[in-house]
Every structure is written in C-alpha cells, then in structure tokens.
Amino acid sequence: MKKIFAFIFSLVLGSALYAQTTNTDSSQPDPNAPAFKFTEETFDFGSIPQGTPAPHSFTYTNVGKSPLIISTVDKSCGCTTPTWSSEPVLPGKTGTVTATYNAAAPGAFTKSVTIHSNATEPTKTLFIKGTVIAVGSDNPNNGTPLPTNNT
C-alpha cells in the first residue's frame, strides 16, 4: 500500500514540477506576431436619413511580422452588420472591416464591432456613431416638429 501511495505521490509531484518548468511566460509578446494599425477606430456618420443602410470600412495595415487572421467580428446589436477580409493579411498589406448600420430608428446612435484575431492585441473594438433623421424631416430635431407660436 505504501508503494502505491509513494508511486501516486511521485506522479503528482513530477507532473507539477514538469508543468512549472514548461510554463511559458505569456506576459511577453511574440516579436513575430501580427499587429493591427487602423487609420481610424471611430467613425461619425453625422446625419443619415432613416431607412438607409450606412456602411463604413475601417482600413488597417498588418504592421507585424506574420500573417494577420481575423477569426470573427462581433456586433453590439442586430442593427449593425460587420464584414471583414477573410483571407490572411500579410505583413505590410492592408485589410478592411466594414460596419453597416441599419438606420431604422430615428435618433442618435453609437455602436461597436469587436474583432477577434491572432494579433498582438487579439481583441480590438471599433465604433460607429451618428444621428438618424426621420423620413420626411426637414429639421435637425430628428422629425420632431418645431415649436410654433400661437398668439
């Protein structure tokens, strides 16, 4: 019984020591990893008419030393549709992430798309914002009638 206990103890201790010596320090970034450099991370559409989809393409350059691969792009709501370069972007080359906002409801908006990739910064968030003007509105109050003076 003592031999079995000693054997199991040796296995556990050996596994712990092996794990400790093979653990890599993840705090040091890979010098060959890909990296994003965006021309902008927030885009303001300004005023857009209601019912008109509003796309904007965010352009980036891979400033790293290996191909940059976007695995997925999440959206903050169902009113935004992201599309992105599906092919690996080689070092020094450019790619795009497009966010299309469905301007269905009047009013101000700020939405985001979050990129997941193999870059040194694996999660990157981009923002779009603006104001949707109600259909048939000629005033800056998003379709709300201007006050009248009934004297």
Side-chain angles (χ1 to χ4, degrees), residues 19-72:
Q20 193 173 32
T21 59
T22 59
N23 188 14
T24 58
D25 184 6
S26 61
S27 64
Q28 296 200 3
D30 178 0
N32 296 317
F36 285 112
K37 181 174 183 186
F38 280 89
T39 54
E40 62 189 343
E41 295 180 16
T42 299
F43 180 75
D44 188 347
F45 286 105
S47 296
I48 56 175
Q50 184 178 9
T52 303
H56 178 71
S57 292
F58 292 92
T59 302
Y60 64 89
T61 301
N62 178 0
V63 295
K65 295 182 180 178
S66 60
L68 194 153
I69 301 168
I70 295 176
S71 56
T72 188

Side-chain angles (χ1 to χ4, degrees), residues 43-55 100-107 109 128-135 142:
F43 180 75
D44 188 347
F45 286 105
S47 296
I48 56 175
Q50 184 178 9
T52 303
T100 302
Y101 180 70
N102 177 10
F109 67 90
I128 55 172
K129 62 183 182 176
T131 303
V132 177
I133 305 300
V135 175
N142 299 331

Side-chain angles (χ1 to χ4, degrees), residues 104-148:
F109 67 90
T110 299
K111 303 298 175 186
S112 65
V113 293
T114 302
I115 303 164
H116 302 277
S117 72
N118 66 333
T120 54
E121 186 178 351
T123 303
K124 185 73 169 169
T125 303
L126 306 173
F127 298 92
I128 55 172
K129 62 183 182 176
T131 303
V132 177
I133 305 300
V135 175
S137 171
D138 291 336
N139 67 58
N141 293 335
N142 299 331
T144 304
L146 294 172
T148 58

